[in-house]
Amino acid sequence: PGIDQVNIDMTAQVRASSTRASGFLADVKNIVPVASGKGGVGKSTVAANLAVALARSGAQVGLMDADVYGPSIPTMMGIMGKPQAAPDQKIIPMTQYDLKIMSMGFFLPEEKAVIWRGPMLDKMIGQFLGGVVWGELDYLVIDLPPGTGDIQLSLCQKVSLTGAVVVSTPQDVALNVAQKAIAMFRQLNTPVLGIVENMSYYLCSHCGSRDEIFGSGGAREVSRTMQLPFLGEIPLSTSIRMHSDQGKPIVLAEPDSEQAKAFIQIAENLAAQISIQNMSGELQQDIKVSF
């Protein structure tokens, strides 16, 4: 009684990865690629909304679009234009929704396709990592192209990744390919922070009924059998697609909707897994030092 208005400032205290390299991206605490075994599972949508949700928690976040063949992050984030160069000739990332954003889509006409071999992709990844003024970040979320190709290999070789997020849809075909992506990260000594099941179910916008079009629970079962965290499930929703096309992720456009809450919960689960892993790494280092 008597209080008319309350202002809340959100802040975040994010623990840095224990594997963070000195020098290259030294000011970035955690590098988190979002991957999928196959295309069409909504990986970019997940990456964009996770980055926004993490930023809403008070963290400093960057979003790097490494899907050079189909760079969709500029459209989903509602930002176009060409980044400027800093005095040292590094690229200044674009900013939108409190995120620092870099994408090949900023440099290419919409109608032009990228037809590159491995060495050119490797050079592009190096440029986006070391040639961009990312500054101090709690999280650098990287939207990877689908599959297990050159870009994934270059990324794992160039920087120490905190861990990857793997996105899949519920049906068996997508899950089988998602397991190959998980196997790739394990082979490259990159932790997998968890699995996200996208298009898990459909919510009718008129009656609110739930229909499991592609089946449901498959990603949860894979996470159980592969002993990986299950980060959460996201519904198949017209509003998610609509707001992505309009350039404003649903976490911002409809923050109180069930769809947005699903992304926010997954972001919270992801941040928790990152914190657990980083604390475990510090404890292991302390044990080694004590011996």
Side-chain angles (χ1 to χ4, degrees), residues 90 131 158 177 232:
K90 286 190 174 184
K158 289 182 182 297
V177 182

Side-chain angles (χ1 to χ4, degrees), residues 3 15 43 47 62 78 83 118 148 180 188 204 222 233 240 246 279:
I3 298 177
R15 190 179 297 270
K43 166 187 50 59
T148 56
K180 297 182 185 299
L188 295 172
C204 179
V222 168
E233 57 186 27
I240 294 177
Q246 293 174 352
M279 288 184 67

